[in-house]
Amino acid sequence: MQPTIYDVAKKAGVSIATVSKVINNNGRIGKETRKKVLKIMEELNYQPSVLASALTGKRTETIGVLIPDLTNPFFAEITASMEERAHERGFSVVICSTKDSEEKEAKYISLLLRKKVDGCILASRFKQVGLIENMVKQGIPVALTSQDIPALNLNTVSVDDYKGGYKATAYLGSLGHKKIAMIAEKNVRSSHERIKGYVDAMIEMDLPFDDTLIREVEPTVTGGEQATEELLSLKEPPTAIFAGNEILAIGVSRAARSFQLDIPNDFSVIGFDNTLLATICDPPLTTIAQPIEQIGKQIVDILISEINGELGNKQRIMLPPELVIRKSTKELSIGKRLDEG
Amino acid sequence: MQPTIYDVAKKAGVSIATVSKVINNNGRIGKETRKKVLKIMEELNYQPSVLASALTGKRTETIGVLIPDLTNPFFAEITASMEERAHERGFSVVICSTKDSEEKEAKYISLLLRKKVDGCILASRFKQVGLIENMVKQGIPVALTSQDIPALNLNTVSVDDYKGGYKATAYLGSLGHKKIAMIAEKNVRSSHERIKGYVDAMIEMDLPFDDTLIREVEPTVTGGEQATEELLSLKEPPTAIFAGNEILAIGVSRAARSFQLDIPNDFSVIGFDNTLLATICDPPLTTIAQPIEQIGKQIVDILISEINGELGNKQRIMLPPELVIRKSTKELSIGKRLDEG
DNA sequence: GTGAAAGCGCTAACAG
DNA sequence: CTGTTAGCGCTTTCAC
């Protein structure tokens, strides 16, 4: 159906070797010959088969990307960034949503192996370290993003979650808030780091806190909502909450509103990630921005470097998070401060 | 690096033909032999190369998906649904974001052709009909979603945009709103259909309207915001707006609020799509739901049927949209009705 | 039941 | 400069 190199060769009256050379722009080819071959390729709308090419030892120009869930704006955005960069670099990406299922992780890794992808990016929350080791052993380049597995020596690009947690909390403190709570996603390494940042900032600011102020929940709107309701029902409720991501932050806002609290006048919320959601919700969220674009771009670049064998030793890059101030945070009003006296 | 069929054959003491047969579960193979080969494959962690297999005429088990933009929740959600279904059916997907660029459309189509994908899904806003015809001519199965190109006889799954527009408008009317405006996305076929639905509903309800009540804008929050500001500045401003999608609807809400209008008490908004955004914004949006899951699933199923040659003639499926009532719409208050006399 | 061998479309020496 | 040829890893007749 689709023309092959033979069709081009025959029609151009040359050998397939010659055609191959003009395709790959190598070897010495006469100017006229090249022009003729090019013309025929055009006429036939010939597209060289990446399959056949890869079979002879070249690359498939494909990288596999495993993410937990495309419908989560954070992953959608980072995937978009990886996809864009990969295409710029001549690679395409095959996306696999693991849904946090170990079964799917295994299935997709095997799938990617069979398809002979040139490399793999595991974005966040990949569970089975053994599978990763297996790939590495088979010689396929692997890179991690938004998660670090210190036990493995792998290329990694992630944001400094600890610093992000610290910054968020410190900012709330700088606004005069004393009672600051944190709602974090459960069972995720990066979330633990954010909590550590929160804790250290609280200690450093000499602000009292205890376990009741730290909630680990499912990363859903209702998760954030319920935790907030509980927190606001405390005898001494927090005046500000640091939410570990923006889905949670939206839950926080919703609960606060149901308690008749005006954001940011009565109550402040800060999120984490800086996805579309932060700009879209009302009021727009103050948040700790991850450089999503840059993370995606850089992880792809590093993976491709490794594929090209250009990498000496593994890269471990930690990008700084940044505070983005919008409308969901405000100085604690004098009245409130006096209340807390 | 990775083991091949030869490695397995040698270690198992059989020929590669035999191994091939056990892989594909065809031909007659002795029970013992099969067991032994299977065991060796396991030991070697052998993954048959899809490349080599495809080169002999089998499928690549890959489908290409072209969408405008992954960071748009609607496309992210539909992509997620397609990806999930494709994997269930044994296919993987390579994602290409066209960013509405004709250059990228052409580049990605060519890429997918070179990779020998088994088929292609074009999701919305694909511009160059010629490119599609080309693929079809080369024998590549193509399916369309969220867009119909009546000139081409292609498999299509989309929502009934006309009916959706009609329903949205009729619902607003049923709430007592008389002055209903529409803000739609520019230059998109499906958007035009939604407008038609709006117009027909207005006429049928005998509600007055003219061109000033219909705005076509860029599909951004600010697009929706500005249009709404203009509409609300009219001598007789609308009491309800039908937004062509949820990004626009969020812009509408924002502008309404800046006009000191309370949603839904003073002002109603209805959106279209029913993405995450509708549930997340405040108040949650009443909207016309597209069956996103189903669209994604069905388009994949149809494409695979065509790949398998199981399809007699092309399918053109139009799914019904559904009204989802949330908190952004409300009966027009008596006061307002009297005002309007 | 099993294996030998041709061929899928292309690349990479190696000749000429 | 251009062509011949031997694979790449696998499938598929066709013999045995």
Side-chain angles (χ1 to χ4, degrees):
Chain A
M1 202 95 248
Q2 296 180 49
T4 72
I5 199 171
Y6 289 96
D7 300 317
V8 177
K10 197 189 313 172
K11 191 152 182 199
V14 299
S15 76
I16 60 165
T18 302
V19 177
S20 175
K21 280 167 197 149
V22 351
I23 293 170
N24 298 292
N25 225 328
N26 58 18
R28 355 185 98 282
I29 296 287
K31 217 165 180 235
E32 282 308 300
T33 315
R34 141 166 290 112
K35 212 178 343 180
K36 182 169 45 173
V37 171
L38 251 16
K39 191 166 132 273
I40 305 288
M41 292 192 343
E42 179 80 5
E43 275 176 36
L44 262 37
N45 191 15
Y46 167 69
Q47 307 283 3
S49 165
V50 175
L51 296 193
S53 163
L55 201 55
T56 73
K58 299 198 128 187
R59 305 179 309 202
T60 52
E61 292 164 1
T62 303
I63 68 192
V65 171
L66 270 73
I67 51 165
D69 175 17
L70 252 195
T71 64
N72 177 319
F74 174 70
F75 294 117
E77 291 177 23
I78 200 161
T79 302
S81 149
M82 295 191 287
E83 183 254 341
E84 179 175 5
R85 184 59 175 173
H87 275 135
E88 282 173 15
R89 302 285 310 263
F91 285 74
S92 34
V93 299
V94 355
I95 308 289
C96 305
S97 292
T98 62
K99 300 287 182 69
D100 286 315
S101 139
E102 302 208 354
E103 192 187 326
K104 288 197 171 156
E105 284 184 357
K107 175 179 157 193
Y108 294 149
I109 293 287
S110 155
L111 185 66
L112 296 173
L113 250 29
R114 279 185 283 126
K115 301 238 163 134
K116 306 299 170 195
V117 295
D118 298 321
C120 233
I121 294 175
L122 311 182
S124 198
R125 303 200 221 143
F126 194 88
K127 295 179 182 165
Q128 296 162 90
V129 175
L131 291 179
I132 304 181
E133 291 176 313
N134 245 309
M135 298 193 89
V136 173
K137 212 183 305 165
Q138 304 225 354
I140 108 140
V142 176
L144 261 42
T145 177
S146 296
Q147 70 176 344
D148 199 357
I149 304 188
L152 263 40
N153 185 28
L154 292 174
N155 296 307
T156 307
V157 176
S158 46
V159 80
D160 191 332
D161 289 296
Y162 171 83
K163 195 179 285 178
Y166 186 96
K167 269 196 182 182
T169 313
Y171 177 63
L172 257 15
S174 78
L175 294 177
H177 293 278
K178 306 280 178 222
K179 200 91 187 174
I180 302 171
M182 162 149 201
I183 299 177
E185 184 175 349
K186 240 182 193 164
N187 300 331
V188 184
R189 188 168 217 288
S190 59
S191 185
H192 298 332
E193 292 298 311
R194 294 175 196 178
I195 294 177
K196 275 192 214 164
Y198 159 84
V199 168
D200 284 3
M202 291 298 275
I203 292 176
E204 221 160 280
M205 294 186 298
D206 227 356
L207 256 28
F209 74 99
D210 57 45
D211 283 357
T212 60
L213 286 181
I214 304 178
R215 308 272 161 160
E216 294 190 67
V217 302
E218 296 296 325
T220 61
V221 173
T222 29
E225 209 170 346
Q226 287 174 359
T228 305
E229 284 166 4
E230 290 170 22
L231 286 164
L232 291 178
S233 304
L234 258 32
K235 8 20 323 172
E236 289 186 50
T239 60
I241 289 183
F242 165 32
N245 65 45
E246 279 145 12
I247 304 267
L248 291 172
I250 283 166
V252 174
S253 301
R254 197 172 284 183
R257 207 165 283 128
S258 79
F259 272 67
Q260 317 297 343
L261 294 173
D262 177 78
I263 300 176
N265 290 316
D266 304 330
F267 185 80
S268 289
V269 204
I270 187 168
F272 205 112
D273 286 348
N274 200 30
T275 64
L276 175 68
L277 296 184
T279 66
I280 238 135
C281 64
D282 179 68
L285 271 178
T286 294
T287 199
I288 299 295
Q290 296 206 42
I292 299 184
E293 277 280 326
Q294 198 191 339
I295 293 175
K297 181 172 181 301
Q298 207 153 353
I299 194 75
V300 167
D301 283 343
I302 288 178
L303 184 69
I304 294 179
S305 296
E306 168 135 23
I307 290 171
N308 291 338
E310 299 163 2
L311 233 49
N313 21 24
K314 308 292 180 193
Q315 306 266 312
R316 282 168 175 273
I317 295 180
M318 188 161 278
L319 267 12
E322 241 166 70
L323 175 66
V324 175
I325 300 175
R326 293 206 182 83
K327 310 279 188 187
S328 69
T329 47
K330 197 173 164 188
E331 278 203 19
L332 189 62
S333 67
I334 309 258
K336 286 266 180 184
R337 277 194 225 198
L338 291 183
D339 281 359
E340 301 190 350
Chain B
M1 203 94 248
Q2 296 180 46
T4 73
I5 199 171
Y6 289 96
D7 300 318
V8 177
K10 198 189 311 173
K11 192 152 180 197
V14 298
S15 76
I16 60 166
T18 302
V19 178
S20 175
K21 279 166 198 150
V22 350
I23 293 170
N24 298 291
N25 226 328
N26 59 15
R28 355 184 100 283
I29 295 288
K31 219 167 178 234
E32 281 308 298
T33 316
R34 141 167 290 112
K35 216 189 324 191
K36 182 170 46 173
V37 171
L38 251 16
K39 192 169 130 267
I40 304 288
M41 292 190 347
E42 179 80 5
E43 276 177 37
L44 262 37
N45 191 15
Y46 167 68
Q47 308 283 2
S49 165
V50 175
L51 295 195
S53 163
L55 200 55
T56 73
K58 301 196 127 189
R59 304 181 309 203
T60 52
E61 292 163 1
T62 304
I63 69 192
V65 171
L66 271 72
I67 50 164
D69 176 17
L70 252 196
T71 65
N72 177 319
F74 174 70
F75 294 116
E77 291 176 24
I78 200 162
T79 302
S81 149
M82 296 191 286
E83 183 254 340
E84 180 174 5
R85 185 58 174 173
H87 275 134
E88 282 172 16
R89 302 285 310 264
F91 285 74
S92 34
V93 300
V94 354
I95 307 288
C96 303
S97 293
T98 61
K99 300 288 181 71
D100 287 315
S101 138
E102 302 208 354
E103 191 186 328
K104 288 197 170 155
E105 284 183 359
K107 176 180 157 193
Y108 293 149
I109 293 286
S110 155
L111 185 67
L112 296 173
L113 251 29
R114 279 185 283 127
K115 300 238 162 134
K116 307 299 169 194
V117 295
D118 297 321
C120 233
I121 294 176
L122 311 181
S124 197
R125 303 200 221 143
F126 194 88
K127 295 179 183 166
Q128 296 160 90
V129 176
L131 291 178
I132 304 180
E133 291 175 314
N134 244 310
M135 297 193 88
V136 173
K137 212 182 309 167
Q138 304 225 351
I140 310 275
V142 176
L144 262 41
T145 178
S146 296
Q147 69 177 344
D148 200 357
I149 304 188
L152 263 40
N153 185 26
L154 292 173
N155 296 308
T156 308
V157 176
S158 47
V159 82
D160 191 331
D161 290 296
Y162 171 84
K163 194 178 288 178
Y166 186 96
K167 270 196 180 182
T169 313
Y171 177 63
L172 259 15
S174 77
L175 294 177
H177 293 278
K178 305 280 177 222
K179 199 91 187 173
I180 302 170
M182 162 148 200
I183 299 177
E185 185 175 349
K186 240 182 192 164
N187 300 331
V188 183
R189 189 168 216 286
S190 59
S191 186
H192 297 332
E193 291 298 313
R194 294 174 196 179
I195 294 177
K196 275 192 215 163
Y198 159 84
V199 168
D200 283 3
M202 291 298 276
I203 292 176
E204 222 158 280
M205 294 187 298
D206 227 356
L207 256 27
F209 74 100
D210 57 43
D211 283 358
T212 59
L213 286 181
I214 304 177
R215 309 272 161 159
E216 294 190 66
V217 304
E218 296 296 325
T220 61
V221 174
T222 28
E225 209 169 349
Q226 287 173 0
T228 305
E229 285 166 4
E230 291 170 21
L231 286 165
L232 291 178
S233 305
L234 257 33
K235 351 66 266 184
E236 287 187 50
T239 61
I241 289 183
F242 165 32
N245 65 45
E246 279 145 10
I247 305 267
L248 290 173
I250 283 165
V252 173
S253 301
R254 199 172 282 183
R257 208 165 281 127
S258 79
F259 273 67
Q260 317 297 344
L261 293 173
D262 176 77
I263 299 176
N265 291 315
D266 304 329
F267 185 81
S268 289
V269 204
I270 187 168
F272 204 112
D273 286 348
N274 199 30
T275 64
L276 175 68
L277 296 183
T279 66
I280 238 134
C281 65
D282 180 68
L285 271 178
T286 294
T287 198
I288 300 294
Q290 297 206 42
I292 299 186
E293 277 279 327
Q294 199 191 339
I295 293 176
K297 181 172 180 303
Q298 208 153 353
I299 193 75
V300 166
D301 283 342
I302 288 178
L303 184 67
I304 294 179
S305 296
E306 168 135 23
I307 290 172
N308 290 339
E310 299 163 1
L311 232 50
N313 21 24
K314 308 293 181 191
Q315 306 266 312
R316 282 168 176 273
I317 295 180
M318 188 161 277
L319 267 12
E322 242 166 69
L323 175 66
V324 174
I325 300 175
R326 294 208 181 82
K327 310 277 188 186
S328 68
T329 47
K330 197 174 165 187
E331 277 203 20
L332 189 63
S333 67
I334 309 258
K336 285 263 181 186
R337 278 193 223 197
L338 291 183
D339 282 358
E340 300 190 353

